[in-house]
Amino acid sequence: MHPTLTRNSDQQKRINKRLSNTNSSSFFNLLTSDALFEKLESLLPGHRERIYPPTETLSMFLAQSMSADRSCQHIVNQAAIQKVAGGITAHSSRTGGYCRARKRLPEDMISSLARETGQLINEHIQPNCHWKSRPVRLVDGTTLTMPDTEENQLRFPQQGAQKPGLGFPICRLVGITCLASGAVLNSAVGRFNGKGGDERTLLRSIQNTFEPGDIVIADALFATYFFIADMQANNVDILMEQQGSRKRSTDFRLGKKLGKKDHLITIAKPKIRPEWMSEAMYAAAPSTLQVRELNVSGKILITTLNCPKYASKDELKLLYKSRWHVELDIRNIKDTMGMNILSCKTPDMIIKEIWVYLLAYNLIRLLMAQSAMLADILPRSLSFKHCLQLWSAGAQMLNLLDSRQLDALLTLMIQQRVGNRAGRIEPRAVKRRPKAFPMLMKPRHDARVDVRQNGHPKKLK
């Protein structure tokens, strides 16, 4: 038999054996476990019997975030059709009741469920999926745009260089994800412009997510003295690219030599106290830090994994390469799921919408973790988009999956793998040309006045 067919046959036998010995729905039903159910009950707002109770509203909100058509009308129509199919008279296909029900959902309930789901996935990841049995956390930030409403502009103002009426409100999002499973463990949202909106400030607000024994991987932006000091105080290791100011003064002839372009150095505490830090915090910070600095493939990395016998230079090089996974996670959330452009009209709903997307993302990661466990492979080796498409189709066609149907769905998820594309390079350019419409260089209401007076331009630039 062909080697590939033999390998697939052997894997299918392992999957069937695990399915026979494991109730796969029990892993998925962690979402309805006593601990999570009690947490959901404690977070539910006081409510009377309505057409859209909180739990059903949240379910519809989640389905809306996973749908290609993310309009409120689409999800309300789906709910109405499901009621008719179930023999229940649909009350209305209007969206007003659903929109008011979404506003009543507490933000704390959605965010807590998203974080709790990420922790559940993290707790059930096998130790061999981690780096030397140690959990690795990836940190990165991104930006999101939203409808140009007055309320959104006040809370999340557009970029300063943009003329009024031409730009869109923009917010910044910083997240902590698990390298092994891809689950989002925590995130912080802030304004793009102004004090307290930078990525390092947002990370400080959620850095208590890290636990002793974790390894934090991030880019050079986060490699600050006081962040490293906080991590060392909590027994958390870091691996980051060296910051530009210190990178320019790197001299591998200094410090304690560990190998070729690999040494231990001592960093002194900055003489100027940051604005965000109190005098007491500044005084309590250590006066010096000992860290390891190494050059790999032209990059200068900094880490607190100081022992070369425990973490060799080649091992750290491969570990830092895995930082790219967080970029792929952001792409999955923003492009594959559609969070790149938010749709809510008020800042409070914008925050809820972001957390609903993160909760939906973690639910898909939960299924991927279960599928990977059945096939005895790494969760990262599965295609996120493939699993999202299967779940969306299965949820619509089967409504509520029983144990047998869920087993079949998990088996299908295993069939599409992510290719090993190490060192892949692609140009950051597009081949297909856009439509030949000119850019809108004035507020839309002014442009409408021009069209009414002068008509549309005859020639498109």
PDB file of all heavy atoms in Angstrom, residues 131 134-137 210-218 227-228 230-240 290 302-307 310-311 316 319:
ATOM      1  N   TRP A 131       6.296  23.897  25.163  1.00  0.00           N
ATOM      2  CA  TRP A 131       7.739  23.893  24.952  1.00  0.00           C
ATOM      3  C   TRP A 131       8.410  23.395  26.218  1.00  0.00           C
ATOM      4  O   TRP A 131       8.381  24.063  27.252  1.00  0.00           O
ATOM      5  CB  TRP A 131       8.221  25.306  24.604  1.00  0.00           C
ATOM      6  CG  TRP A 131       9.648  25.371  24.168  1.00  0.00           C
ATOM      7  CD1 TRP A 131      10.133  25.071  22.940  1.00  0.00           C
ATOM      8  CD2 TRP A 131      10.768  25.786  24.960  1.00  0.00           C
ATOM      9  NE1 TRP A 131      11.497  25.254  22.903  1.00  0.00           N
ATOM     10  CE2 TRP A 131      11.910  25.698  24.138  1.00  0.00           C
ATOM     11  CE3 TRP A 131      10.924  26.209  26.285  1.00  0.00           C
ATOM     12  CZ2 TRP A 131      13.184  26.031  24.585  1.00  0.00           C
ATOM     13  CZ3 TRP A 131      12.193  26.538  26.740  1.00  0.00           C
ATOM     14  CH2 TRP A 131      13.313  26.447  25.901  1.00  0.00           C
ATOM     15  N   ARG A 134       6.476  23.586  29.286  1.00  0.00           N
ATOM     16  CA  ARG A 134       6.183  24.912  29.835  1.00  0.00           C
ATOM     17  C   ARG A 134       5.265  25.673  28.887  1.00  0.00           C
ATOM     18  O   ARG A 134       5.547  25.759  27.680  1.00  0.00           O
ATOM     19  CB  ARG A 134       7.472  25.708  30.065  1.00  0.00           C
ATOM     20  CG  ARG A 134       8.366  25.124  31.134  1.00  0.00           C
ATOM     21  CD  ARG A 134       9.576  26.011  31.365  1.00  0.00           C
ATOM     22  NE  ARG A 134       9.187  27.337  31.853  1.00  0.00           N
ATOM     23  CZ  ARG A 134      10.056  28.313  32.107  1.00  0.00           C
ATOM     24  NH1 ARG A 134      11.367  28.104  31.929  1.00  0.00           N
ATOM     25  NH2 ARG A 134       9.637  29.482  32.538  1.00  0.00           N
ATOM     26  N   PRO A 135       4.162  26.238  29.388  1.00  0.00           N
ATOM     27  CA  PRO A 135       3.250  26.993  28.516  1.00  0.00           C
ATOM     28  C   PRO A 135       3.931  28.229  27.941  1.00  0.00           C
ATOM     29  O   PRO A 135       4.663  28.939  28.640  1.00  0.00           O
ATOM     30  CB  PRO A 135       2.107  27.393  29.463  1.00  0.00           C
ATOM     31  CG  PRO A 135       2.219  26.478  30.637  1.00  0.00           C
ATOM     32  CD  PRO A 135       3.675  26.152  30.772  1.00  0.00           C
ATOM     33  N   VAL A 136       3.695  28.463  26.662  1.00  0.00           N
ATOM     34  CA  VAL A 136       4.241  29.632  25.971  1.00  0.00           C
ATOM     35  C   VAL A 136       3.088  30.564  25.623  1.00  0.00           C
ATOM     36  O   VAL A 136       2.087  30.139  25.047  1.00  0.00           O
ATOM     37  CB  VAL A 136       5.005  29.224  24.701  1.00  0.00           C
ATOM     38  CG1 VAL A 136       5.531  30.457  23.975  1.00  0.00           C
ATOM     39  CG2 VAL A 136       6.155  28.290  25.048  1.00  0.00           C
ATOM     40  N   ARG A 137       3.219  31.837  25.977  1.00  0.00           N
ATOM     41  CA  ARG A 137       2.192  32.849  25.723  1.00  0.00           C
ATOM     42  C   ARG A 137       2.702  33.844  24.688  1.00  0.00           C
ATOM     43  O   ARG A 137       3.833  34.348  24.792  1.00  0.00           O
ATOM     44  CB  ARG A 137       1.838  33.601  27.011  1.00  0.00           C
ATOM     45  CG  ARG A 137       1.485  32.704  28.192  1.00  0.00           C
ATOM     46  CD  ARG A 137       0.432  31.700  27.848  1.00  0.00           C
ATOM     47  NE  ARG A 137       0.019  30.894  28.997  1.00  0.00           N
ATOM     48  CZ  ARG A 137      -0.555  29.721  28.888  1.00  0.00           C
ATOM     49  NH1 ARG A 137      -0.759  29.183  27.689  1.00  0.00           N
ATOM     50  NH2 ARG A 137      -0.922  29.057  29.959  1.00  0.00           N
ATOM     51  N   PHE A 210      -0.466  36.136  33.136  1.00  0.00           N
ATOM     52  CA  PHE A 210       0.684  35.234  33.128  1.00  0.00           C
ATOM     53  C   PHE A 210       0.826  34.553  34.486  1.00  0.00           C
ATOM     54  O   PHE A 210       0.617  35.172  35.530  1.00  0.00           O
ATOM     55  CB  PHE A 210       1.966  36.006  32.799  1.00  0.00           C
ATOM     56  CG  PHE A 210       1.914  36.738  31.490  1.00  0.00           C
ATOM     57  CD1 PHE A 210       2.142  38.097  31.429  1.00  0.00           C
ATOM     58  CD2 PHE A 210       1.616  36.068  30.313  1.00  0.00           C
ATOM     59  CE1 PHE A 210       2.095  38.784  30.238  1.00  0.00           C
ATOM     60  CE2 PHE A 210       1.569  36.738  29.108  1.00  0.00           C
ATOM     61  CZ  PHE A 210       1.805  38.103  29.070  1.00  0.00           C
ATOM     62  N   GLU A 211       1.193  33.285  34.448  1.00  0.00           N
ATOM     63  CA  GLU A 211       1.354  32.496  35.660  1.00  0.00           C
ATOM     64  C   GLU A 211       2.802  32.028  35.791  1.00  0.00           C
ATOM     65  O   GLU A 211       3.524  31.937  34.778  1.00  0.00           O
ATOM     66  CB  GLU A 211       0.411  31.283  35.634  1.00  0.00           C
ATOM     67  CG  GLU A 211      -1.066  31.672  35.594  1.00  0.00           C
ATOM     68  CD  GLU A 211      -1.966  30.451  35.524  1.00  0.00           C
ATOM     69  OE1 GLU A 211      -1.433  29.333  35.390  1.00  0.00           O
ATOM     70  OE2 GLU A 211      -3.202  30.632  35.606  1.00  0.00           O
ATOM     71  N   PRO A 212       3.242  31.728  37.019  1.00  0.00           N
ATOM     72  CA  PRO A 212       4.617  31.235  37.202  1.00  0.00           C
ATOM     73  C   PRO A 212       4.895  30.020  36.323  1.00  0.00           C
ATOM     74  O   PRO A 212       4.084  29.095  36.232  1.00  0.00           O
ATOM     75  CB  PRO A 212       4.660  30.870  38.689  1.00  0.00           C
ATOM     76  CG  PRO A 212       3.631  31.762  39.320  1.00  0.00           C
ATOM     77  CD  PRO A 212       2.534  31.891  38.303  1.00  0.00           C
ATOM     78  N   GLY A 213       6.036  30.050  35.656  1.00  0.00           N
ATOM     79  CA  GLY A 213       6.413  28.968  34.756  1.00  0.00           C
ATOM     80  C   GLY A 213       6.123  29.269  33.306  1.00  0.00           C
ATOM     81  O   GLY A 213       6.614  28.560  32.416  1.00  0.00           O
ATOM     82  N   ASP A 214       5.327  30.309  33.013  1.00  0.00           N
ATOM     83  CA  ASP A 214       5.028  30.678  31.633  1.00  0.00           C
ATOM     84  C   ASP A 214       6.265  31.263  30.953  1.00  0.00           C
ATOM     85  O   ASP A 214       7.182  31.788  31.607  1.00  0.00           O
ATOM     86  CB  ASP A 214       3.895  31.707  31.571  1.00  0.00           C
ATOM     87  CG  ASP A 214       2.539  31.108  31.894  1.00  0.00           C
ATOM     88  OD1 ASP A 214       2.453  29.866  32.008  1.00  0.00           O
ATOM     89  OD2 ASP A 214       1.562  31.874  32.036  1.00  0.00           O
ATOM     90  N   ILE A 215       6.252  31.203  29.623  1.00  0.00           N
ATOM     91  CA  ILE A 215       7.258  31.878  28.793  1.00  0.00           C
ATOM     92  C   ILE A 215       6.508  32.845  27.883  1.00  0.00           C
ATOM     93  O   ILE A 215       5.577  32.437  27.180  1.00  0.00           O
ATOM     94  CB  ILE A 215       8.076  30.885  27.961  1.00  0.00           C
ATOM     95  CG1 ILE A 215       8.820  29.901  28.872  1.00  0.00           C
ATOM     96  CG2 ILE A 215       9.060  31.615  27.055  1.00  0.00           C
ATOM     97  CD1 ILE A 215       9.543  28.793  28.111  1.00  0.00           C
ATOM     98  N   VAL A 216       6.894  34.108  27.907  1.00  0.00           N
ATOM     99  CA  VAL A 216       6.218  35.141  27.125  1.00  0.00           C
ATOM    100  C   VAL A 216       7.082  35.491  25.914  1.00  0.00           C
ATOM    101  O   VAL A 216       8.270  35.823  26.066  1.00  0.00           O
ATOM    102  CB  VAL A 216       5.962  36.407  27.965  1.00  0.00           C
ATOM    103  CG1 VAL A 216       5.280  37.479  27.118  1.00  0.00           C
ATOM    104  CG2 VAL A 216       5.106  36.071  29.179  1.00  0.00           C
ATOM    105  N   ILE A 217       6.468  35.418  24.726  1.00  0.00           N
ATOM    106  CA  ILE A 217       7.159  35.784  23.488  1.00  0.00           C
ATOM    107  C   ILE A 217       6.436  36.980  22.883  1.00  0.00           C
ATOM    108  O   ILE A 217       5.206  36.983  22.739  1.00  0.00           O
ATOM    109  CB  ILE A 217       7.180  34.617  22.485  1.00  0.00           C
ATOM    110  CG1 ILE A 217       7.877  33.395  23.096  1.00  0.00           C
ATOM    111  CG2 ILE A 217       7.881  35.026  21.199  1.00  0.00           C
ATOM    112  CD1 ILE A 217       7.942  32.210  22.154  1.00  0.00           C
ATOM    113  N   ALA A 218       7.211  38.010  22.544  1.00  0.00           N
ATOM    114  CA  ALA A 218       6.641  39.210  21.944  1.00  0.00           C
ATOM    115  C   ALA A 218       7.716  39.898  21.115  1.00  0.00           C
ATOM    116  O   ALA A 218       8.886  39.496  21.121  1.00  0.00           O
ATOM    117  CB  ALA A 218       6.098  40.146  23.022  1.00  0.00           C
ATOM    118  N   PHE A 227       8.873  45.843  32.474  1.00  0.00           N
ATOM    119  CA  PHE A 227       8.083  44.639  32.166  1.00  0.00           C
ATOM    120  C   PHE A 227       8.903  43.386  32.454  1.00  0.00           C
ATOM    121  O   PHE A 227       8.410  42.424  33.046  1.00  0.00           O
ATOM    122  CB  PHE A 227       7.629  44.653  30.706  1.00  0.00           C
ATOM    123  CG  PHE A 227       6.838  43.443  30.311  1.00  0.00           C
ATOM    124  CD1 PHE A 227       5.525  43.296  30.701  1.00  0.00           C
ATOM    125  CD2 PHE A 227       7.416  42.427  29.564  1.00  0.00           C
ATOM    126  CE1 PHE A 227       4.786  42.165  30.355  1.00  0.00           C
ATOM    127  CE2 PHE A 227       6.699  41.296  29.204  1.00  0.00           C
ATOM    128  CZ  PHE A 227       5.376  41.171  29.609  1.00  0.00           C
ATOM    129  N   ILE A 228      10.179  43.406  32.044  1.00  0.00           N
ATOM    130  CA  ILE A 228      11.049  42.257  32.318  1.00  0.00           C
ATOM    131  C   ILE A 228      11.201  42.053  33.817  1.00  0.00           C
ATOM    132  O   ILE A 228      11.172  40.919  34.320  1.00  0.00           O
ATOM    133  CB  ILE A 228      12.422  42.450  31.645  1.00  0.00           C
ATOM    134  CG1 ILE A 228      12.259  42.516  30.122  1.00  0.00           C
ATOM    135  CG2 ILE A 228      13.368  41.315  32.012  1.00  0.00           C
ATOM    136  CD1 ILE A 228      13.541  42.873  29.385  1.00  0.00           C
ATOM    137  N   ASP A 230       9.046  42.859  36.198  1.00  0.00           N
ATOM    138  CA  ASP A 230       7.797  42.291  36.715  1.00  0.00           C
ATOM    139  C   ASP A 230       7.698  40.807  36.421  1.00  0.00           C
ATOM    140  O   ASP A 230       7.255  40.008  37.259  1.00  0.00           O
ATOM    141  CB  ASP A 230       6.596  43.025  36.104  1.00  0.00           C
ATOM    142  CG  ASP A 230       6.399  44.406  36.703  1.00  0.00           C
ATOM    143  OD1 ASP A 230       6.980  44.680  37.764  1.00  0.00           O
ATOM    144  OD2 ASP A 230       5.671  45.221  36.093  1.00  0.00           O
ATOM    145  N   MET A 231       8.095  40.403  35.203  1.00  0.00           N
ATOM    146  CA  MET A 231       8.024  38.993  34.831  1.00  0.00           C
ATOM    147  C   MET A 231       8.992  38.162  35.677  1.00  0.00           C
ATOM    148  O   MET A 231       8.634  37.075  36.150  1.00  0.00           O
ATOM    149  CB  MET A 231       8.330  38.825  33.335  1.00  0.00           C
ATOM    150  CG  MET A 231       7.294  39.458  32.406  1.00  0.00           C
ATOM    151  SD  MET A 231       5.618  38.759  32.592  1.00  0.00           S
ATOM    152  CE  MET A 231       4.840  40.006  33.617  1.00  0.00           C
ATOM    153  N   GLN A 232      10.193  38.651  35.871  1.00  0.00           N
ATOM    154  CA  GLN A 232      11.159  37.906  36.686  1.00  0.00           C
ATOM    155  C   GLN A 232      10.676  37.766  38.127  1.00  0.00           C
ATOM    156  O   GLN A 232      10.858  36.727  38.755  1.00  0.00           O
ATOM    157  CB  GLN A 232      12.520  38.603  36.651  1.00  0.00           C
ATOM    158  CG  GLN A 232      13.312  38.350  35.383  1.00  0.00           C
ATOM    159  CD  GLN A 232      14.746  38.817  35.503  1.00  0.00           C
ATOM    160  OE1 GLN A 232      15.042  39.783  36.198  1.00  0.00           O
ATOM    161  NE2 GLN A 232      15.654  38.135  34.817  1.00  0.00           N
ATOM    162  N   ALA A 233      10.038  38.819  38.644  1.00  0.00           N
ATOM    163  CA  ALA A 233       9.532  38.766  40.021  1.00  0.00           C
ATOM    164  C   ALA A 233       8.436  37.724  40.174  1.00  0.00           C
ATOM    165  O   ALA A 233       8.244  37.173  41.269  1.00  0.00           O
ATOM    166  CB  ALA A 233       9.015  40.145  40.434  1.00  0.00           C
ATOM    167  N   ASN A 234       7.722  37.424  39.087  1.00  0.00           N
ATOM    168  CA  ASN A 234       6.631  36.448  39.123  1.00  0.00           C
ATOM    169  C   ASN A 234       7.028  35.095  38.546  1.00  0.00           C
ATOM    170  O   ASN A 234       6.159  34.270  38.227  1.00  0.00           O
ATOM    171  CB  ASN A 234       5.419  36.985  38.359  1.00  0.00           C
ATOM    172  CG  ASN A 234       4.786  38.174  39.045  1.00  0.00           C
ATOM    173  OD1 ASN A 234       4.465  38.121  40.225  1.00  0.00           O
ATOM    174  ND2 ASN A 234       4.600  39.256  38.313  1.00  0.00           N
ATOM    175  N   ASN A 235       8.351  34.874  38.360  1.00  0.00           N
ATOM    176  CA  ASN A 235       8.866  33.594  37.852  1.00  0.00           C
ATOM    177  C   ASN A 235       8.336  33.297  36.452  1.00  0.00           C
ATOM    178  O   ASN A 235       7.995  32.156  36.131  1.00  0.00           O
ATOM    179  CB  ASN A 235       8.524  32.453  38.816  1.00  0.00           C
ATOM    180  CG  ASN A 235       9.366  31.212  38.555  1.00  0.00           C
ATOM    181  OD1 ASN A 235      10.483  31.309  38.034  1.00  0.00           O
ATOM    182  ND2 ASN A 235       8.832  30.051  38.899  1.00  0.00           N
ATOM    183  N   VAL A 236       8.244  34.329  35.633  1.00  0.00           N
ATOM    184  CA  VAL A 236       7.833  34.195  34.231  1.00  0.00           C
ATOM    185  C   VAL A 236       9.012  34.582  33.360  1.00  0.00           C
ATOM    186  O   VAL A 236       9.634  35.635  33.566  1.00  0.00           O
ATOM    187  CB  VAL A 236       6.626  35.102  33.911  1.00  0.00           C
ATOM    188  CG1 VAL A 236       6.287  35.039  32.420  1.00  0.00           C
ATOM    189  CG2 VAL A 236       5.420  34.694  34.746  1.00  0.00           C
ATOM    190  N   ASP A 237       9.365  33.744  32.390  1.00  0.00           N
ATOM    191  CA  ASP A 237      10.480  34.032  31.483  1.00  0.00           C
ATOM    192  C   ASP A 237       9.986  34.744  30.245  1.00  0.00           C
ATOM    193  O   ASP A 237       8.817  34.610  29.845  1.00  0.00           O
ATOM    194  CB  ASP A 237      11.204  32.744  31.094  1.00  0.00           C
ATOM    195  CG  ASP A 237      12.076  32.202  32.227  1.00  0.00           C
ATOM    196  OD1 ASP A 237      12.883  32.977  32.763  1.00  0.00           O
ATOM    197  OD2 ASP A 237      11.919  31.008  32.581  1.00  0.00           O
ATOM    198  N   ILE A 238      10.889  35.490  29.622  1.00  0.00           N
ATOM    199  CA  ILE A 238      10.538  36.213  28.394  1.00  0.00           C
ATOM    200  C   ILE A 238      11.524  35.864  27.283  1.00  0.00           C
ATOM    201  O   ILE A 238      12.681  35.486  27.540  1.00  0.00           O
ATOM    202  CB  ILE A 238      10.490  37.742  28.625  1.00  0.00           C
ATOM    203  CG1 ILE A 238      11.897  38.272  29.017  1.00  0.00           C
ATOM    204  CG2 ILE A 238       9.476  38.118  29.683  1.00  0.00           C
ATOM    205  CD1 ILE A 238      12.614  38.998  27.925  1.00  0.00           C
ATOM    206  N   LEU A 239      11.060  35.981  26.048  1.00  0.00           N
ATOM    207  CA  LEU A 239      11.909  35.862  24.863  1.00  0.00           C
ATOM    208  C   LEU A 239      11.396  36.882  23.853  1.00  0.00           C
ATOM    209  O   LEU A 239      10.282  36.745  23.351  1.00  0.00           O
ATOM    210  CB  LEU A 239      11.860  34.448  24.284  1.00  0.00           C
ATOM    211  CG  LEU A 239      12.623  34.233  22.964  1.00  0.00           C
ATOM    212  CD1 LEU A 239      14.113  34.517  23.156  1.00  0.00           C
ATOM    213  CD2 LEU A 239      12.420  32.822  22.434  1.00  0.00           C
ATOM    214  N   MET A 240      12.205  37.920  23.600  1.00  0.00           N
ATOM    215  CA  MET A 240      11.782  39.010  22.737  1.00  0.00           C
ATOM    216  C   MET A 240      12.960  39.485  21.903  1.00  0.00           C
ATOM    217  O   MET A 240      14.120  39.195  22.220  1.00  0.00           O
ATOM    218  CB  MET A 240      11.238  40.187  23.569  1.00  0.00           C
ATOM    219  CG  MET A 240      10.060  39.820  24.466  1.00  0.00           C
ATOM    220  SD  MET A 240       9.526  41.206  25.473  1.00  0.00           S
ATOM    221  CE  MET A 240       8.182  40.437  26.403  1.00  0.00           C
ATOM    222  N   GLN A 290      19.830  40.954  35.137  1.00  0.00           N
ATOM    223  CA  GLN A 290      20.731  40.140  34.334  1.00  0.00           C
ATOM    224  C   GLN A 290      19.915  39.353  33.312  1.00  0.00           C
ATOM    225  O   GLN A 290      18.999  38.603  33.669  1.00  0.00           O
ATOM    226  CB  GLN A 290      21.544  39.178  35.202  1.00  0.00           C
ATOM    227  CG  GLN A 290      22.622  38.431  34.405  1.00  0.00           C
ATOM    228  CD  GLN A 290      23.422  37.466  35.249  1.00  0.00           C
ATOM    229  OE1 GLN A 290      22.845  36.571  35.872  1.00  0.00           O
ATOM    230  NE2 GLN A 290      24.750  37.630  35.277  1.00  0.00           N
ATOM    231  N   ILE A 302      16.605  38.918  23.261  1.00  0.00           N
ATOM    232  CA  ILE A 302      16.856  39.065  24.694  1.00  0.00           C
ATOM    233  C   ILE A 302      15.931  38.102  25.428  1.00  0.00           C
ATOM    234  O   ILE A 302      14.758  37.959  25.067  1.00  0.00           O
ATOM    235  CB  ILE A 302      16.633  40.524  25.147  1.00  0.00           C
ATOM    236  CG1 ILE A 302      17.004  40.693  26.621  1.00  0.00           C
ATOM    237  CG2 ILE A 302      15.226  40.982  24.879  1.00  0.00           C
ATOM    238  CD1 ILE A 302      17.002  42.135  27.084  1.00  0.00           C
ATOM    239  N   THR A 303      16.474  37.416  26.441  1.00  0.00           N
ATOM    240  CA  THR A 303      15.683  36.413  27.149  1.00  0.00           C
ATOM    241  C   THR A 303      16.174  36.290  28.586  1.00  0.00           C
ATOM    242  O   THR A 303      17.304  36.658  28.910  1.00  0.00           O
ATOM    243  CB  THR A 303      15.776  35.043  26.443  1.00  0.00           C
ATOM    244  OG1 THR A 303      14.986  34.084  27.143  1.00  0.00           O
ATOM    245  CG2 THR A 303      17.213  34.547  26.389  1.00  0.00           C
ATOM    246  N   THR A 304      15.303  35.782  29.419  1.00  0.00           N
ATOM    247  CA  THR A 304      15.676  35.458  30.800  1.00  0.00           C
ATOM    248  C   THR A 304      15.939  33.967  30.954  1.00  0.00           C
ATOM    249  O   THR A 304      16.157  33.493  32.073  1.00  0.00           O
ATOM    250  CB  THR A 304      14.570  35.903  31.773  1.00  0.00           C
ATOM    251  OG1 THR A 304      13.306  35.370  31.350  1.00  0.00           O
ATOM    252  CG2 THR A 304      14.471  37.418  31.822  1.00  0.00           C
ATOM    253  N   LEU A 305      15.921  33.205  29.872  1.00  0.00           N
ATOM    254  CA  LEU A 305      16.330  31.791  29.884  1.00  0.00           C
ATOM    255  C   LEU A 305      17.856  31.778  29.767  1.00  0.00           C
ATOM    256  O   LEU A 305      18.416  31.598  28.687  1.00  0.00           O
ATOM    257  CB  LEU A 305      15.664  31.043  28.734  1.00  0.00           C
ATOM    258  CG  LEU A 305      14.130  30.966  28.791  1.00  0.00           C
ATOM    259  CD1 LEU A 305      13.553  30.516  27.453  1.00  0.00           C
ATOM    260  CD2 LEU A 305      13.696  30.004  29.897  1.00  0.00           C
ATOM    261  N   ASN A 306      18.523  32.002  30.871  1.00  0.00           N
ATOM    262  CA  ASN A 306      19.956  32.312  30.858  1.00  0.00           C
ATOM    263  C   ASN A 306      20.863  31.101  30.739  1.00  0.00           C
ATOM    264  O   ASN A 306      22.046  31.252  30.437  1.00  0.00           O
ATOM    265  CB  ASN A 306      20.319  33.095  32.123  1.00  0.00           C
ATOM    266  CG  ASN A 306      19.646  34.461  32.166  1.00  0.00           C
ATOM    267  OD1 ASN A 306      19.238  34.986  31.129  1.00  0.00           O
ATOM    268  ND2 ASN A 306      19.536  35.034  33.351  1.00  0.00           N
ATOM    269  N   CYS A 307      20.337  29.904  30.986  1.00  0.00           N
ATOM    270  CA  CYS A 307      21.194  28.715  30.968  1.00  0.00           C
ATOM    271  C   CYS A 307      21.276  28.125  29.557  1.00  0.00           C
ATOM    272  O   CYS A 307      20.257  27.654  29.024  1.00  0.00           O
ATOM    273  CB  CYS A 307      20.676  27.671  31.946  1.00  0.00           C
ATOM    274  SG  CYS A 307      21.668  26.157  31.974  1.00  0.00           S
ATOM    275  N   TYR A 310      20.020  24.485  29.262  1.00  0.00           N
ATOM    276  CA  TYR A 310      18.566  24.285  29.276  1.00  0.00           C
ATOM    277  C   TYR A 310      17.930  24.778  27.974  1.00  0.00           C
ATOM    278  O   TYR A 310      17.045  24.126  27.421  1.00  0.00           O
ATOM    279  CB  TYR A 310      17.950  25.030  30.463  1.00  0.00           C
ATOM    280  CG  TYR A 310      16.443  24.981  30.504  1.00  0.00           C
ATOM    281  CD1 TYR A 310      15.774  23.821  30.879  1.00  0.00           C
ATOM    282  CD2 TYR A 310      15.688  26.087  30.153  1.00  0.00           C
ATOM    283  CE1 TYR A 310      14.393  23.768  30.902  1.00  0.00           C
ATOM    284  CE2 TYR A 310      14.293  26.048  30.171  1.00  0.00           C
ATOM    285  CZ  TYR A 310      13.651  24.895  30.545  1.00  0.00           C
ATOM    286  OH  TYR A 310      12.284  24.833  30.565  1.00  0.00           O
ATOM    287  N   ALA A 311      18.391  25.939  27.499  1.00  0.00           N
ATOM    288  CA  ALA A 311      17.836  26.528  26.269  1.00  0.00           C
ATOM    289  C   ALA A 311      19.002  26.926  25.380  1.00  0.00           C
ATOM    290  O   ALA A 311      19.638  27.966  25.593  1.00  0.00           O
ATOM    291  CB  ALA A 311      16.962  27.733  26.600  1.00  0.00           C
ATOM    292  N   LEU A 316      16.265  28.428  21.044  1.00  0.00           N
ATOM    293  CA  LEU A 316      15.652  29.750  21.201  1.00  0.00           C
ATOM    294  C   LEU A 316      15.318  30.366  19.842  1.00  0.00           C
ATOM    295  O   LEU A 316      14.323  31.074  19.707  1.00  0.00           O
ATOM    296  CB  LEU A 316      16.585  30.668  21.980  1.00  0.00           C
ATOM    297  CG  LEU A 316      16.785  30.307  23.456  1.00  0.00           C
ATOM    298  CD1 LEU A 316      17.793  31.241  24.102  1.00  0.00           C
ATOM    299  CD2 LEU A 316      15.463  30.353  24.207  1.00  0.00           C
ATOM    300  N   LEU A 319      12.151  28.701  18.811  1.00  0.00           N
ATOM    301  CA  LEU A 319      11.057  29.137  19.670  1.00  0.00           C
ATOM    302  C   LEU A 319      10.591  30.535  19.287  1.00  0.00           C
ATOM    303  O   LEU A 319       9.389  30.799  19.241  1.00  0.00           O
ATOM    304  CB  LEU A 319      11.497  29.097  21.135  1.00  0.00           C
ATOM    305  CG  LEU A 319      10.444  29.522  22.167  1.00  0.00           C
ATOM    306  CD1 LEU A 319       9.207  28.623  22.080  1.00  0.00           C
ATOM    307  CD2 LEU A 319      11.025  29.496  23.574  1.00  0.00           C
TER     308      LEU A 319
END
